Amino acid sequence: MPRNNVRWEGKRAGRVLIATRNTGKMRELQPMFADAGIALVSLEDARIPADALEDSLEVAATFEENALAKARYFHGVSGLATVADDSGLEVAVLSWAPGVRSKRWSGRPELSGQALDDANNALLLQRLKGCADRRSRYVCAAAYCDGAREFVERGEVAGVITLEARGSGGFGYDPFFQSEELGRTFGEVPAAEKARVSHRARAFGKLLQHIRSRG
C-alpha cells in the first residue's frame, strides 16, 4: 500500500510533492499542475531540509534513471506521491554533452543559482568558440512515484546555441538556447510561450496524462 492517499478525481486530484529546489522549475510547473487540479507541494512546504545525500541521486548515465531516483528518494522521505525530473542541454558537436552533467558541467560545486548558471554558460561558449555547427536540444525526463506506481516520460525540444545571451528570462542555458519552433531564445519569450514548446512542459504533460489515465 502507498503511504499517501492522493486520489486522482477530476479537478480534485490532490497534492503531489515536487522534488526540486530549483525555483525556476517550480514557476514553470505550478500552472500546468494547477490546470490539472493538482497542487504542487514544494520541499520547503513539506519541511524537508536539504541533505548532502541529495547530491548522490543524480549519478546515473541517463535522465530517466536520475529522475526516477529522485522521485523514489523523496517519496520515501515524505510518504507523498512525488514527481521529479532530470533535464539538461545536449549539443551535437560536443558529442551531446553536457547532457546529464548540465548542472554540474563547470565543476564549480561552491556556486549555486545565477552564479552557477553563469559559469556553465561561460564554459559552453568557450567550448563552441569557432564552431559553425551549434545544433542542440533540451531534454527532460519526468518521473512519478507513489509507492505503488512509478513511471517516467521524456520530452525534447530542438534548437541552436546563440553567439551571445539574448533575453533575461528563464534560467540555466535558456538565454543561449534558440528554439527551432519559436525562433527566439527561451530567455526572450514569456513563460507561457516557453511552456508551449519546452522539453519540461512536454515531459510533464505526458506524465500528467499517464497519472490520470492510471488513476
Side-chain angles (χ1 to χ4, degrees), residues 21-203:
R21 301 190 187 279
N22 185 314
T23 57
K25 289 183 181 181
M26 283 289 296
R27 286 194 303 270
E28 286 187 8
L29 294 173
Q30 278 176 331
M32 177 181 294
F33 276 74
D35 286 346
I38 300 172
L40 282 180
V41 179
S42 70
L43 296 177
E44 181 178 8
D45 290 340
R47 298 182 180 179
I48 300 175
D51 189 309
L53 182 61
E54 295 172 21
D55 293 333
S56 67
L57 298 176
E58 294 180 300
V59 295
T62 69
F63 293 108
E64 287 81 0
E65 291 172 289
N66 286 334
L68 194 52
K70 287 194 287 187
R72 287 170 175 166
Y73 172 80
F74 283 103
H75 166 68
V77 169
S78 68
L80 293 171
T82 301
V83 294
D85 85 298
D86 189 33
S87 54
L89 179 71
E90 296 184 332
V91 182
V93 75
L94 301 179
S95 300
W96 302 111
V100 294
R101 297 188 65 249
S102 291
K103 183 179 178 180
R104 306 176 297 277
W105 197 33
S106 60
R108 300 290 301 276
E110 78 280 10
L111 300 179
S112 62
Q114 189 60 52
L116 181 57
D117 288 348
D118 291 344
N120 286 330
N121 283 316
L123 179 58
L124 176 65
L125 294 184
Q126 177 188 326
R127 293 286 178 87
L128 289 179
K129 188 174 182 179
C131 291
D133 182 1
R134 303 175 79 87
R135 290 174 299 134
S136 61
R137 65 191 177 206
Y138 259 138
V139 178
C140 175
Y144 171 87
C145 176
D146 67 8
R149 302 174 299 159
E150 57 183 39
F151 35 81
V152 186
E153 297 289 349
R154 183 182 178 96
E156 297 185 6
V157 57
V160 295
I161 302 302
T162 57
L163 295 173
E164 58 186 20
R166 299 208 316 248
S168 57
F171 58 95
Y173 300 94
D174 283 358
F176 293 92
F177 180 83
Q178 179 176 300
S179 163
E180 188 176 276
E181 292 158 273
L182 300 178
R184 288 173 290 167
T185 72
F186 276 176
E188 292 179 290
V189 299
E193 192 170 355
K194 175 185 175 182
R196 183 167 59 83
V197 302
S198 83
H199 54 307
R200 189 167 294 108
R202 286 172 171 164

